[in-house]
Amino acid sequence: MPAAAPDALFDLAVNRAHAALRGLRPGDPTQALAEWHARTRFARRVSLAAVTEALARKPDLPGEWHWAGGPEGGWVAGKAPFP
């Protein structure tokens, strides 16, 4: 099990995963996310399950959204402070 990641790293992992899926628009998001996660520097610190759970909580509303607040955080309207 990965060590607890700092909140900022968790936020960055979720936001980058979200951006990757938006850009790829894969037929199988689960497989694409697993492949993305395996290639990232986040894999040892932020679990795929935690990223997947955060992505599933994204509101189905128009506009830009980003994750903030670490594992206990949530989706916030607007652009993420870090790309």
Side-chain angles (χ1 to χ4, degrees):
M1 173 172 238
D7 287 354
L9 182 62
F10 186 90
D11 296 351
L12 188 61
V14 173
N15 291 325
R16 293 239 176 118
H18 180 243
L21 290 178
R22 275 193 337 254
L24 294 172
R25 299 201 185 282
D28 181 1
T30 302
Q31 181 64 31
L33 187 59
E35 290 172 9
W36 170 85
H37 186 262
R39 292 188 313 262
T40 69
R41 64 187 174 106
F42 307 115
R44 291 183 298 153
R45 302 286 305 276
V46 181
S47 75
L48 176 58
V51 171
T52 302
E53 182 180 319
L55 291 172
R57 293 174 44 198
K58 183 184 174 293
D60 189 19
L61 298 170
E64 290 272 341
W65 290 87
H66 69 278
W67 184 271
E72 302 303 318
W75 290 95
V76 178
K79 290 187 177 191
F82 300 104

